[in-house]
C-alpha cells in the first residue's frame, strides 16, 4: 500500500520562545508529570524523584517550566509551592501528591533568567499565592509583602 505525502521542509526550530522580563507574574499549571517520554520515573542523578510543571503566564500565554524536587534540599521549595497553590496541609501533615493534583492551580511566580547550553530561559525563582492582596496591585512589579518570611 502506498501513501500520498506532500513534502515540506521542517520549520526552523532555532527560534527561541519569547521570554518574560524579570518580575512577578500570574501563572496557571497546565501540566504536571513525574515520568519521562519513555514512562520512566523522573529522578535526579542522586536518585531523588521530582515533578516537572508546565505553567502558563496568564497574559502573554508564555510557557515556563518549574521543577519540584522531593529531597532534603528541595523541601522548602516544595512547601512554598504547595502553599502558593493552596495545597499545603497542616503542620507536620503527611501529604500524598499526584501530578494531576497540580492541574489548573494558580500562583504568582517571580521570574528571572537562566542560561543552559548557551540558550537563555525563564526560571521561576520564588512563588506565593495569587490571593495575596499586595500582589493584586501589579504582580509584575510588587515585591513580596514586607515582614513575611520568604519561603526560599
Amino acid at each position: 500500500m502506498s501513501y500520498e505525502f506532500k513534502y515540506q521542509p521542517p520549520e526552523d526550530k532555532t527560534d527561541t520562545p519569547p521570554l518574560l522580563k524579570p518580575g512577578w507574574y500570574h501563572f496557571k499549571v497546565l501540566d504536571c508529570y513525574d515520568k519521562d517520554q519513555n514512562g520512566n520515573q523522573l529522578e535526579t542523578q542522586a536518585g531523588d524523584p521530582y515533578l516537572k510543571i508546565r505553567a502558563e503566564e496568564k497574559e502573554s500565554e508564555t510557557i515556563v517550566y518549574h521543577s519540584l524536587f522531593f529531597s532534603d534540599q528541595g523541601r522548602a521549595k516544595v512547601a512554598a509551592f504547595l502553599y502558593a497553590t493552596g495545597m499545603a496541609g497542616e503542620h507536620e501533615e503527611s501529604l500524598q501528591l499526584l501530578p494531576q493534583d497540580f492541574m489548573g492551580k494558580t500562583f504568582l511566580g517571580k521570574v528571572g533568567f537562566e542560561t543552559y547550553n548557551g540558550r537563555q530561559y525563564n526560571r521561576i525563582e520564588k512563588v506565593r499565592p495569587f490571593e495575596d492582596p499586595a500582589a493584586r496591585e501589579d504582580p509584575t512589579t510588587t515585591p513580596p509583602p514586607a515582614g513575611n518570611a520568604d519561603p526560599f
Side-chain angles (χ1 to χ4, degrees):
M1 172 177 234
S2 67
Y3 298 94
E4 185 175 331
F5 178 79
K6 183 175 181 179
Y7 177 78
Q8 294 180 351
E11 294 179 24
D12 182 12
K13 300 281 184 176
T14 59
D15 291 342
T16 57
L19 295 175
L20 297 170
K21 293 179 182 178
W24 288 93
Y25 294 91
H26 184 195
F27 287 94
K28 179 179 181 179
V29 175
L30 296 181
D31 197 12
C32 180
Y33 48 96
D34 62 353
K35 294 184 175 23
D36 65 17
Q37 294 172 342
N38 297 321
N40 300 316
Q41 179 74 37
L42 293 177
E43 292 183 350
T44 64
Q45 290 180 342
D48 297 317
Y50 70 95
L51 293 175
K52 188 83 164 183
I53 295 169
R54 188 171 67 99
E56 178 184 60
E57 194 276 320
K58 294 282 233 175
E59 299 235 349
S60 67
E61 299 181 351
T62 298
I63 302 296
V64 179
Y65 289 88
H66 190 59
S67 297
L68 297 178
F69 298 94
F70 294 93
S71 64
D72 288 339
Q73 296 90 351
R75 183 178 310 277
K77 187 176 178 181
V78 172
F81 196 80
L82 293 175
Y83 176 75
T85 56
M87 297 173 62
E90 297 297 320
H91 181 70
E92 296 294 321
E93 178 183 1
S94 179
L95 301 173
Q96 298 298 313
L97 302 171
L98 297 170
Q100 59 265 31
D101 295 340
F102 293 87
M103 301 293 291
K105 300 292 183 185
T106 60
F107 64 95
L108 280 179
K110 183 178 181 185
V111 172
F113 295 114
E114 178 178 355
T115 302
Y116 181 74
N117 285 339
R119 289 184 63 185
Q120 200 168 39
Y121 296 90
N122 280 132
R123 175 177 181 259
I124 296 174
E125 299 173 341
K126 296 182 182 183
V127 294
R128 67 178 186 212
F130 180 67
E131 292 75 23
D132 185 340
R136 292 179 185 226
E137 297 169 18
D138 181 3
T140 61
T141 59
T142 305
N148 287 358
D150 194 350
F152 289 110

